[in-house]
Amino acid sequence: MTQESGPWSGTTELGSAAERLPTADGRVAVTVGRLDGLARLLLLIGREELTRDARFGSCHDLVVNRAALVAEIAQELVAVPRDECLALLNAAEITAEAVEAPNS
């Protein structure tokens, strides 16, 4: 995956807040602390084009439009069984774990 410029070209820190995302049969908590990790996640789920989406073109834009980005990611993960999702995320070196509490 090649990136031209903008926040996606570096290793800018994003923070470490976990997003609890739905899968086909449960939830996973996904933590992506740097932009290169987020780019790997988007590539993994087949949504690499989001790295070129104007809504996410700068670090500020990523913060402002975080909910939209999370919704795009969740839309892809909801069709994947949780254990398969965890295996794929962990193989791509994306921190993820199962969320056991039903209301989490």
Side-chain angles (χ1 to χ4, degrees):
M1 173 171 57
T2 60
Q3 301 300 323
E4 289 136 21
S5 62
W8 301 97
S9 61
T11 57
T12 302
E13 296 290 325
L14 294 173
S16 60
E19 290 291 342
R20 292 184 170 102
L21 303 169
T23 66
D25 57 355
R27 289 189 169 273
V28 292
V30 178
T31 304
V32 179
R34 296 185 344 190
L35 282 170
D36 58 341
L38 181 55
R40 277 195 324 276
L41 172 59
L42 295 175
L43 178 64
L44 177 71
I45 65 171
R47 296 299 306 273
E48 184 180 4
E49 80 279 0
L50 291 174
T51 65
R52 296 179 298 278
D53 188 309
R55 295 174 295 168
F56 317 121
S58 71
C59 290
H60 177 265
D61 295 335
L62 280 165
V63 171
V64 170
N65 296 304
R66 180 181 179 121
L69 182 59
V70 170
E72 296 281 356
I73 294 167
Q75 179 180 329
E76 301 302 324
L77 296 183
V78 74
V80 182
R82 183 171 68 179
D83 289 344
E84 181 181 338
C85 184
L86 288 170
L88 291 168
L89 291 166
N90 289 318
E93 298 181 359
I94 297 165
T95 303
E97 62 185 15
V99 176
E100 299 300 334
N103 295 325
S104 294

